[in-house]
Amino acid sequence: MIRVLVVDDEALVRTGFTHILNKADDIEVVAAVPGGQAVQTVRELQPDIVLLDIRMPDVDGLTILADLRRMPQAPVVAMLTTFDTDDYVATALRSGAAGFLLKDTDPEQLPHLVRTLAQGGTVLSSEVTRMVVDSYLNNGVREPAAVRLAARLTEREQAVLLLMAEGLANPDIGERLHLSTGTIKGHVTNVLGKLQVSSRLQAALIAERAGLLTPAQNEGAR
């Protein structure tokens, strides 16, 4: 069972996400709370996934994200937003968010996206993906620092990184490379360590900035 915490200042959003996700046989929303209760609720219930509103009146979602990332057993966090050009996207990605979802995400897609997060994948609503690729990734310039970091990777780790950048979860990467999920998990850990990042999206940023992603791969990410 995938245990999910929904954090949003709007009761209607909390109720809607809870209703949709609890219909799935393998997902349980353990709580749905406003931002001020988020950190304590995570400590008490230890959910696997946190769906976190990025803009709330009582507390900044980025502040909550930073607090959660410092926990010894940090949950996977995906940010919720109503804006497809949110100025906070880059900061959230650098801070370790595993994805971005618009609050009006297709209800039929929501359980699938949560499962992807639980399997170690990344999720971006199509509108957010387009903005990230166009504004933050696809600048056509290879950054020397990113090139140096990417040079630390073995050929196999680089192959894993490219599939991570496509948003694939560990089982899917293993299927592509004909390796076990456990082996892929080890490679992912090595990739994150060598790139000095804490999330798969941060690794994807470095892959693009190092010039590793082809235009086709960038387009596929959309």
Side-chain angles (χ1 to χ4, degrees):
M1 186 68 70
I2 303 170
R3 304 173 75 251
V4 178
L5 171 66
V6 178
V7 180
D8 196 284
D9 64 306
E10 298 181 23
L12 185 60
V13 173
R14 298 196 301 268
T15 300
F17 271 67
T18 299
H19 178 71
I20 293 168
L21 292 175
N22 277 343
K23 285 185 175 181
D25 294 336
D26 57 340
I27 299 174
E28 176 189 7
V29 176
V30 295
V33 300
Q37 300 176 28
V39 174
Q40 185 59 36
T41 303
V42 169
R43 290 196 181 105
E44 293 175 355
L45 300 181
Q46 298 184 338
D48 304 304
I49 309 292
V50 176
L51 302 181
L52 173 62
D53 188 4
I54 198 168
R55 290 182 175 178
M56 294 176 285
D58 55 344
V59 61
D60 183 0
L62 294 176
T63 299
I64 296 174
L65 173 63
D67 290 340
L68 297 183
R69 293 295 299 170
R70 286 194 291 267
M71 290 183 176
Q73 293 182 319
V76 175
V77 181
M79 310 304 292
L80 300 176
T81 180
T82 56
F83 306 98
D84 60 359
T85 57
D86 201 311
D87 294 337
Y88 288 39
V89 168
T91 301
L93 296 182
R94 287 194 296 266
S95 300
F100 261 85
L101 298 176
L102 295 182
K103 293 184 183 180
D104 60 357
T105 295
D106 185 345
E108 293 185 1
Q109 290 297 315
L110 189 57
H112 169 71
L113 296 174
V114 167
R115 294 183 189 104
T116 299
L117 288 167
Q119 293 173 343
T122 58
V123 297
L124 290 173
S125 293
S126 60
E127 296 88 346
V128 178
T129 301
R130 187 172 300 109
M131 187 272 289
V132 170
V133 172
D134 291 344
S135 301
Y136 295 98
L137 300 180
N138 195 21
N139 55 23
V141 178
R142 295 179 63 182
E143 297 183 5
V147 172
R148 287 194 296 271
L149 287 171
R152 299 177 178 181
L153 304 178
T154 66
E155 184 177 347
R156 176 64 75 187
E157 289 166 351
Q158 188 173 119
V160 170
L161 173 60
L162 296 182
L163 294 176
M164 289 167 60
E166 292 183 21
L168 297 184
N170 290 348
D172 299 318
I173 296 175
E175 184 175 346
R176 289 273 195 98
L177 299 179
H178 306 291
L179 297 171
S180 70
T181 300
T183 298
I184 296 300
K185 184 177 180 179
H187 284 315
V188 170
T189 298
N190 291 339
V191 168
L192 297 181
K194 290 181 179 181
L195 297 184
Q196 300 177 355
V197 296
S198 59
S199 79
R200 300 162 81 102
L201 279 177
Q202 291 171 321
L205 284 166
I206 291 178
E208 218 292 331
R209 289 169 177 167
L212 298 181
L213 303 187
T214 66
Q217 286 173 313
N218 278 336
E219 186 63 29
R222 298 169 188 256

